Amino acid sequence: MLKDQEFVLKLLREAKMADAAQIEAARTIALDGGNSDIVAELVKAGVVDYDNLITMLAGQYGMEVVSLQDFDIPQEVIDSLRADYARYYQVIPVSNDGSWLTVAMEDPTDVEKLDTLRYLLGSDVDAVIAPEKQILAALDKYYPEADENTGSQNKDVDIDSAEMIIESSEEKTGMDDEDDTAPIIRLVTKLIVDAYKMRASDIHFEPMEKRYRVRYRIDGSLREVDGPPKYLQSNFTSRVKIMAHLDITEKRIPQDGRIQLTVGGDKDIDLRVSSIPTVFGESIVMRILDKSSIQLDIPRLGFYADDLELVTKIINYPDGIFLVTGPTGSGKTTSLYAFLNTINTTARKLITVEDPIEYQLPGINQVQVDRHVEMTFAAALRSMLRQAPNIIMVGEIRDLETAEIAINAALTGHLVFSTLHTNDAPGAVARLVDMGVKPFLVATALRAAMAQRLLRRVCKECAEPYTPSAAEQRILGLTPEYLANHKFIKGKGCRHCGYTGYKGRVGIYEIFLITEEIARLIFANETSGTLRSFARRNGMRSLRDDAIRKAEAGISTLEEVIFVTLRDEN
């Protein structure tokens, strides 16, 4: 019986080998007969030709169809697989080059069978497809008696529990563990190590209809890499979930976990793992947190001297709220960590509440949100105030309760750092008011808001001068006089940057300082547009302004400036 019946039925419909009515009729017959082999009923009824079915599955899984009747399998190949394994799994070894065994099997959808064989044999196992009758005949021919001792390279594993090995084993997750030799384990490890070496921030494992796609997010852009074949999707997902201590039997709801690994013997990295069910399987995203790469020095974040002076002034205020805004992945947490690290002295008590704690900062008390025990942002923040801190960092203000406690803390002599999801810095005011915070409280407690994005850096290895295109000139409003006085560079692409022209990223910033005039506007409940216009007239530099001057300095390109800031300018 084919294991993944519904998938095969879907393929039959798409190939017009069986229609919905024929499938439902076969389903009814199968259920009435007390079995679930709907495909076999279609073959039995003559709706589907068996040979055509095998050919279709072979094409779907990229496997070769063989006729065992034409094979004269050498005895040394037969000896490479124990008789009890062969009969239990109904496979026949057809070739063995010493490190790679090829077996014939009927069902290419049974990926667990293949991976279990890989574990049992301690070697790579590939498959070809052969009709079930030929496999059964070959088993009688080559394994007339079940000899438990046949074969010299097999592990001593109880065959009754073999099906559970891949999904229930507690393998180690160290990158340098030489015992991690199973193919799936090696493949997962290789993809993680490759992503780390390529400076990826995320790894995306995405099940598609006919393939299993793997993409790395490098410098903010997704880049597809070679991934495992579709038939290994289930095993691949199980391996990642085991590493992240997730429930491999639960495939209907989202799950979150974490993996801690050592790469290269001395590099500690954390991976935040998110799994969510999709139409074609579980989509998994790993967020790579490299503890050694975090920038805790404010000047290295990309501030120019004027912005650096302003930020330094803000983070040394005795009280009030400083908000950092931007979408996910814009570097908000990194900025907050750099601010905290700068003002972290023995004379101050700093406490953070985060979800999750991305990096552990020495000398700072960090609290992990845990909703299972009612440790929410608001609950943690309320308790933190009893610890008499000088400075508080709240990972994100998500609701009115958290916002009100943070504002009360700011009004009672604490300096509070936090993040919000808004497009620009003045939008932080409207977001707090929308949550239900009174405008006069926002005007009194808020000291500043800073919006930020990440701009890709031009690769220094392949940078060359270029003239902005007509579209770039039109969108950015560049005049001939301006172009005559400014030169720009662009990466043409090389092996150092993966032929993208970019390598690394730098921050761009929009700092909205709450002056007395702006506080009066907030108190009067003026719109974000009014606040933004007033701040711009009084010297606030927008994200695009900061991005353009970094393009002028040869740090990035005008193309990247438009891509990153167009939505915010609109």
Side-chain angles (χ1 to χ4, degrees):
M1 182 181 76
L2 297 175
K3 188 167 186 179
D4 196 342
Q5 289 274 312
E6 294 304 321
F7 180 65
V8 175
L9 292 173
K10 180 176 181 294
L11 294 177
L12 290 174
R13 287 195 299 271
E14 292 177 348
K16 295 182 169 44
M17 295 172 65
D19 59 32
Q22 292 169 326
I23 290 173
E24 288 310 308
R27 191 189 302 275
T28 300
I29 294 172
L31 292 176
D32 289 344
N35 69 76
S36 58
D37 198 343
I38 306 167
V39 177
E41 291 296 337
L42 289 169
V43 173
K44 183 179 178 181
V47 175
V48 174
D49 180 78
Y50 184 79
D51 291 338
N52 291 340
L53 171 65
I54 293 295
T55 301
M56 180 198 69
L57 291 176
Q60 177 68 27
Y61 285 90
M63 294 182 180
E64 179 187 354
V65 179
V66 301
S67 173
L68 294 180
Q69 296 173 338
D70 302 330
F71 264 75
D72 185 14
I73 306 173
Q75 187 60 43
E76 58 268 21
V77 174
I78 294 297
D79 290 344
S80 66
L81 185 65
R82 282 170 41 167
D84 55 339
Y85 290 176
R87 288 189 173 278
Y88 184 83
Y89 294 109
Q90 291 196 346
V91 297
I92 291 292
V94 294
S95 68
N96 188 353
D97 65 2
S99 61
W100 197 289
L101 177 67
T102 300
V103 299
M105 59 188 292
E106 182 206 15
D107 184 7
T109 70
D110 194 352
V111 294
E112 288 86 357
K113 177 187 293 186
L114 271 180
D115 209 51
T116 303
L117 284 171
R118 292 184 179 110
Y119 182 87
L120 293 173
L121 300 175
S123 66
D124 288 321
V125 178
D126 199 3
V128 294
I129 300 179
E132 182 182 24
K133 289 182 179 179
Q134 293 184 17
I135 292 175
L136 294 176
L139 286 172
D140 290 337
K141 175 182 177 180
Y142 293 106
Y143 298 103
E145 297 180 1
D147 181 7
E148 297 287 341
N149 299 317
T150 305
S152 59
Q153 61 173 337
N154 304 300
K155 294 184 180 180
D156 185 15
V157 178
D158 180 7
I159 198 167
D160 292 331
S161 61
E163 294 285 5
M164 302 301 294
I165 289 174
I166 297 301
E167 295 189 345
S168 64
S169 60
E170 296 293 332
E171 298 100 337
K172 298 177 183 178
T173 57
M175 294 303 222
D176 302 310
D177 191 339
E178 296 181 357
D179 292 334
D180 286 354
T181 56
I184 288 293
I185 298 174
R186 292 207 308 271
L187 180 55
V188 173
T189 299
K190 180 180 185 302
L191 287 171
I192 294 174
V193 171
D194 287 349
Y196 173 79
K197 290 180 178 178
M198 295 172 69
R199 303 175 297 103
S201 60
D202 304 274
I203 310 173
H204 295 251
F205 302 118
E206 302 165 314
M208 315 300 285
E209 184 176 8
K210 296 183 178 180
R211 64 192 183 101
Y212 193 57
R213 183 169 69 179
V214 178
R215 294 192 290 176
Y216 296 159
R217 188 178 295 279
I218 302 173
D219 295 333
S221 298
L222 287 169
R223 188 184 307 175
E224 186 167 352
V225 298
D226 292 335
K230 177 71 175 179
Y231 67 87
L232 291 181
Q233 174 180 315
S234 175
N235 301 91
F236 198 89
T237 300
S238 294
R239 171 58 186 167
V240 173
K241 292 175 75 173
I242 287 171
M243 294 173 69
H245 304 289
L246 303 180
D247 184 356
I248 62 175
T249 65
E250 180 56 77
K251 302 178 181 179
R252 300 164 299 173
I253 61 174
Q255 296 185 67
D256 295 300
R258 194 160 188 159
I259 301 172
Q260 293 182 314
L261 299 171
T262 301
V263 181
D266 60 348
K267 294 288 186 180
D268 292 328
I269 63 171
D270 284 353
L271 295 103
R272 282 166 47 190
V273 181
S274 171
S275 171
I276 188 170
T278 69
V279 174
F280 301 111
E282 292 176 272
S283 173
I284 294 177
V285 175
M286 291 182 172
R287 180 85 181 273
I288 301 175
L289 306 174
D290 180 9
K291 298 177 183 178
S292 64
S293 67
I294 184 172
Q295 301 291 349
L296 296 178
D297 186 12
I298 295 179
R300 296 181 64 183
L301 296 179
F303 288 102
Y304 274 122
D306 50 357
D307 284 344
L308 179 60
E309 181 180 357
L310 183 55
V311 165
T312 302
K313 174 184 175 183
I314 294 169
I315 66 175
N316 281 286
Y317 282 152
D319 55 29
I321 296 179
F322 182 24
L323 295 174
V324 180
T325 77
T328 301
S330 59
K332 301 187 299 295
T333 302
T334 300
S335 293
L336 288 179
Y337 280 160
F339 298 158
L340 292 176
N341 187 65
T342 300
I343 59 179
N344 180 22
T345 67
T346 55
R348 291 168 168 160
K349 183 178 180 67
L350 282 71
I351 304 181
T352 75
V353 53
E354 307 170 59
D355 183 24
I357 297 174
E358 295 192 6
Y359 301 95
Q360 295 179 354
L361 302 175
I364 296 177
N365 300 279
Q366 296 175 267
V367 179
Q368 170 69 55
V369 167
D370 188 350
R371 292 175 180 81
H372 294 99
V373 293
E374 301 300 322
M375 178 64 84
T376 62
F377 277 112
L381 183 53
R382 190 180 294 108
S383 298
M384 285 161 53
L385 294 175
R386 292 193 284 269
Q387 296 277 316
N390 301 103
I391 299 164
I392 297 169
M393 193 269 272
V394 184
E396 182 182 351
I397 294 178
R398 299 179 179 177
D399 51 47
L400 176 60
E401 184 181 11
T402 305
E404 288 181 335
I405 299 171
I407 285 176
N408 287 333
L411 294 175
T412 54
H414 302 86
L415 180 60
V416 180
F417 296 99
S418 191
T419 70
L420 278 178
H421 287 275
T422 64
N423 284 338
D424 61 5
V429 174
R431 182 76 182 96
L432 290 173
V433 173
D434 287 344
M435 285 182 183
V437 181
K438 302 298 183 184
F440 76 90
L441 289 176
V442 177
T444 306
L446 189 63
R447 294 289 177 263
M450 181 182 80
Q452 72 175 74
R453 300 291 186 277
L454 294 176
L455 207 65
R456 288 188 294 174
R457 291 179 179 268
V458 174
C459 174
K460 296 180 180 179
E461 300 294 332
C462 60
E464 59 182 14
Y466 89 106
T467 301
S469 67
E472 291 170 346
Q473 295 178 40
R474 183 181 69 255
I475 293 171
L476 297 174
L478 307 181
T479 65
E481 293 76 17
Y482 175 87
L483 292 173
N485 293 303
H486 295 87
K487 303 300 179 183
F488 300 92
I489 63 173
K490 188 174 185 178
K492 63 180 180 180
C494 65
R495 63 183 181 84
H496 297 282
C497 60
Y499 300 94
T500 63
Y502 299 97
K503 187 173 183 180
R505 290 190 289 179
V506 64
I508 55 173
Y509 305 95
E510 175 181 277
I511 304 174
F512 178 58
L513 187 65
I514 309 300
T515 62
E516 290 185 8
E517 294 84 357
I518 290 178
R520 282 195 289 269
L521 293 175
I522 296 173
F523 188 86
N525 202 19
E526 293 288 351
T527 65
S528 292
T530 300
L531 296 177
R532 182 176 181 80
S533 297
F534 183 87
R536 293 278 280 150
R537 289 195 303 270
N538 286 271
M540 184 185 80
R541 187 178 293 104
S542 71
L543 286 167
R544 175 166 288 181
D545 293 337
D546 195 35
I548 287 177
R549 64 175 178 170
K550 282 167 181 170
E552 293 172 354
I555 296 173
S556 190
T557 66
L558 292 179
E559 178 185 36
E560 183 73 357
V561 169
I562 294 171
F563 177 77
V564 172
T565 66
L566 183 59
R567 182 181 63 180
D568 302 295
E569 285 298 308
N570 288 339

